[in-house]
Amino acid sequence: MPRFGKLRLALTLIGMFTLAHAQPSVQTAGTLVIVPAIGEVRHANDEARITLTLEEQDRDKTVAASRVNQKMKQGIEIVRRADPQALLTTRGYYTYPIYSDEQQGKNLHPRQPISWRVGQYLDVTTSNLKALPRTVAAAQGLLALNGLQFGLTEATQKKLDEKRIEVTYRNLTERVAAIAKAMGRNVSEAVLDTVDFDGSGAYAQHDMATTKMTMHAPTGMESALVEEPSFEPGETILQLRVVGKARFK
């Protein structure tokens, strides 16, 4: 083979080898990137929501109702003395009959109730956590503790909202910078087109709050003197989700 032919063959082979191993060039100009981000703040719980209950049973419906009415009034007074700043709400007043378990024949008259059960709930919301054990113990002398949850006061949530937005936006910008680096672009070439803090799009969720709380199962009627219970309020984790659209120049 002539010398010129060998040289041309060698150049052709080198070109083919170079093309086979070259990395494809991906154009990113004008690319729109959807970036989800999340921010999280923590705060010790500073509010308690207590549910107290009272129930009476008697053959006479009016007698059972009278006892509930009288004891609930006394229970409210006890809680107010123990915690004057607490918010009290009564709810869930119920009355229903109790029947015998004995079977009845087809020709007998409709069965009659052998007694009546009457009850009511009292919700207590307080930020006085220091006095909470004393308040609950005083109430348990007459009422039963049905449930307890810890959370944040409205004032604390408003105070944390600004910090939560700040943390979430910082996480968004950090993720945009990381994406720009992975694409081989300068972060200054990215322009935020949309920032969705509402999470209204199909790609995002609404803001979330995760609360670590203490729950107590319903208890029976307590004696007049009750030892103070122990409570650990824990903390609440507030999260905010945001979705941003960044377009590269």
Side-chain angles (χ1 to χ4, degrees):
M1 181 181 293
R3 184 176 179 182
F4 178 75
K6 291 183 179 180
L7 179 60
R8 185 170 61 180
L9 177 61
L11 292 174
T12 301
L13 291 175
I14 292 173
M16 293 175 61
F17 180 83
T18 302
L19 289 174
H21 290 80
Q23 295 294 329
S25 177
V26 178
Q27 297 299 318
T28 58
T31 300
L32 179 65
V33 182
I34 297 177
V35 186
I38 186 171
E40 180 179 287
V41 293
R42 297 168 177 260
H43 195 280
N45 290 325
D46 57 357
E47 183 178 83
R49 294 178 288 276
I50 311 163
T51 299
L52 301 167
T53 185
L54 176 64
E55 185 176 88
E56 290 288 335
Q57 185 174 333
D58 196 277
R59 294 177 60 88
D60 190 332
K61 179 170 57 176
T62 59
V63 172
S66 294
R67 287 206 298 263
V68 168
N69 296 346
Q70 181 182 19
K71 290 184 177 181
M72 180 57 73
K73 182 179 180 180
Q74 295 172 352
I76 290 174
E77 293 174 353
I78 290 172
V79 174
R80 280 180 174 163
R81 286 197 301 268
D83 189 351
Q85 304 301 319
L87 174 64
L88 277 59
T89 306
T90 55
R91 65 172 176 84
Y93 199 108
Y94 60 87
T95 304
Y96 63 88
I98 305 297
Y99 297 98
S100 172
D101 293 333
E102 297 178 1
Q103 297 295 325
Q104 301 185 38
K106 295 182 180 180
N107 298 325
L108 296 179
H109 296 290
R111 56 179 184 167
Q112 299 296 319
I114 60 174
S115 64
W116 292 84
R117 186 170 291 165
V118 182
Q120 190 176 17
Y121 292 92
L122 174 64
D123 291 333
V124 181
T125 303
T126 179
S127 57
N128 189 357
L129 301 188
K130 185 176 181 180
L132 183 62
R134 183 174 67 251
T135 300
V136 172
Q140 284 181 305
L142 189 61
L143 308 176
L145 179 61
N146 183 263
L148 171 63
Q149 294 182 345
F150 291 102
L152 300 176
T153 62
E154 185 177 351
T156 300
Q157 292 189 54
K158 288 182 178 179
K159 186 191 308 182
L160 293 174
D161 194 49
E162 181 178 348
K163 183 178 180 182
R164 183 169 53 159
I165 292 175
E166 178 186 342
V167 170
T168 306
Y169 184 76
R170 183 166 63 246
N171 180 251
L172 174 64
T173 56
E174 289 172 350
R175 300 194 75 180
V176 170
I179 292 172
K181 182 179 180 181
M183 295 172 64
R185 301 294 299 271
N186 194 313
V187 68
S188 62
E189 298 174 327
V191 178
L192 279 176
D193 181 79
T194 303
V195 179
D196 182 10
F197 278 100
D198 184 53
S200 58
Y203 43 73
Q205 299 179 7
H206 293 284
D207 20 337
M208 303 169 59
T210 305
T211 307
K212 297 181 179 179
M213 61 184 67
T214 304
M215 294 293 294
H216 290 263
T219 60
M221 294 302 295
E222 308 295 340
S223 59
L225 297 177
V226 180
E227 291 293 330
E228 292 185 6
S230 299
F231 300 125
E232 293 295 334
E235 65 178 8
T236 290
I237 303 173
L238 293 176
Q239 293 181 339
L240 178 62
R241 297 183 183 275
V242 63
V243 173
K245 292 183 179 180
R247 188 180 299 277
F248 286 91
K249 300 176 183 178

